[in-house]
Amino acid sequence: MTNATPVRVRFCPSPTGNPHVGLVRTALFNWAFARHHGGSLVLRIEDTDAARDSEESYDQLLDSLRWLGLDWDEGPEAYAADAEGTDGGAVGPHAPYRQSQRMDVYRDVAERLRAAGHAYRCFCTPAELEERREAARKAGRASGYDGACRDLDAARIAAYEAEGRTSIVRFRMPDEPITFTDLVRGELTFAPENVTDYGIVRANGAPLYTLVNPVDDALMEITHVLRGEDLLSSTPRQIALYRALAEIGVGKGATPEFGHLPYVMGEGNKKLSKRDPESSLNLYRERGFLPQGLLNYLSLLGWSLSEDRDIFSMDELVAAFDVADVNANPARFDLKKCEAINAAHLRELPVAEFAAACAPWLAAPYATWAAEDFDQAAFDELAPLAQTRLTVLADITQNVDFLFLPEPVADEASWQKAMKPGAADVLRSIHSRLAELDGGSWRAEPLKEAVLAAGEAHGLKLGKAQAPLRVAVTGRTVGLPLFESLEVLGRERTLLRVDATLAKLAAQPGS
Ligand code: GLU
């Protein structure tokens, strides 16, 4: 930044439904921009739509931002960590930060806009509007509001009122084009016939997003608005409103700069929608993504650190982030890449941190074993091997359950695959070789040698020979490296499981 005004950005979600990845990307870019410039991130809750907003969704939003580590400087619970606690509602110089608590502000501003001639009462009914829109479309004219109520005189207003008509408040757009330089897209110009007068207060007196969002941006002295491309069409309207607000003395008079972040496309090159399962943030939390892994991936939706580096830390992101580098082209959401980046972040953790991060998936409700059968030391031995193989933490449960369950899981498909005719013979040979190893030699390397030798006696390579053993011991055909797993499971339990499998095979018809 060359000018001296401190950067102030905002993240202003509406608390409807579950947080989704598009929303998180917007929060992330605002956060990174604020942190890069040493500015402030304001969290504002746009909860003016009582029919759609919910407290549950509000709580989830705050909880999600905290989990992600996207901290905010002003807004609800911004200082929750203070020794003195928090009022829980609104903290910072522009409080309150929940729009539902700012209705008086909006009513006052709407009134002043009207008094100054920037807005007017519009009595057109929805049916009349639709009829005229249709006629305009048929005549090949632009179909926005036609200005019918722009200059009603007092007599006309009285007549409408006598008819019992209700009125909304409409903002008067200037008659000249609006031009601005989008931080992502460059210079854009909107012709007046495409951006017509628009409603800012409903007939029942409720202020609309079109009013409250720019009013708060002005009052909260927001310098940069970074938001999704879906909001681009509202920007010329908001710029006109800012100018009017400046005239009537609402805010400090400066219009923020705007940057519109590219669309995120999902499957089949359709816009990723809230309804697509892979857009739900909760899903990533439940699957055990690391916040830094998910955020690293989401930052690549429209931005990149450099051509040859996809994996980086949040500190590196903050150091490098510039909205001017955001690409205007739609970004494609690629779950496989998201997982691969998360896996890379898992591998970068110190092993103790990795083991600690696994903890939620080693306990209820995920653990399939009894809590008292969990053995931390055994888990810690296998943790380094799991760390290099997992893409998400939730997979840890089934990678280590064989250690804590009294018997391995019964996975029918794995059984069928591994227990082909002849498997019992191989397993018997393996059993006798393993039984020759005493407790002291029960280590990965000798275990491998033993299985290798048993396989050779049957003309089998190691991979084929170890398949029935793996299923006998873990219940599955895939998992952590087998011999290290056997080492941790121990001699006695391993041999018992092979015995049990041989007994089961013997009882099977045709074996
Ligand atoms: N509450 C609006 C939304 O969630 C914010 C839009 C904006 O950033 O201006 O879509």
Side-chain angles (χ1 to χ4, degrees), residues 271-334:
K271 260 198 299 170
L272 190 66
S273 111
K274 275 189 188 182
R275 284 173 298 279
D276 292 323
E278 71 265 37
S279 78
S280 158
L281 176 66
N282 292 343
L283 181 97
Y284 295 88
R285 284 182 77 169
E286 275 160 27
R287 289 188 64 203
F289 275 74
L290 295 173
Q292 63 269 39
L294 182 62
L295 291 175
N296 180 166
Y297 177 68
L298 295 180
S299 76
L300 299 175
L301 298 174
W303 181 80
S304 60
L305 183 84
S306 72
E307 257 173 39
D308 54 355
R309 265 191 77 201
D310 275 350
I311 319 274
F312 40 83
S313 68
M314 287 299 102
D315 285 347
E316 290 173 296
L317 166 76
V318 165
F321 187 81
D322 189 342
V323 68
D325 297 335
V326 172
N327 191 322
N329 296 327
R332 201 174 76 80
F333 191 86
D334 179 347

Side-chain angles (χ1 to χ4, degrees), residues 406-460:
E407 287 165 20
V409 290
D411 173 5
E412 195 46 38
S414 292
W415 180 271
Q416 295 301 342
K417 204 164 153 195
M419 303 305 176
K420 296 269 157 57
D425 291 341
V426 182
L427 263 185
R428 247 188 308 276
S429 305
I430 289 176
H431 186 279
S432 59
R433 302 250 178 187
L434 294 185
E436 283 166 16
L437 297 174
D438 59 21
S441 359
W442 194 263
R443 312 206 55 88
E445 202 42 46
L447 285 162
K448 182 177 167 190
E449 292 305 323
V451 174
L452 195 64
E456 266 165 15
H458 293 267
L460 296 176

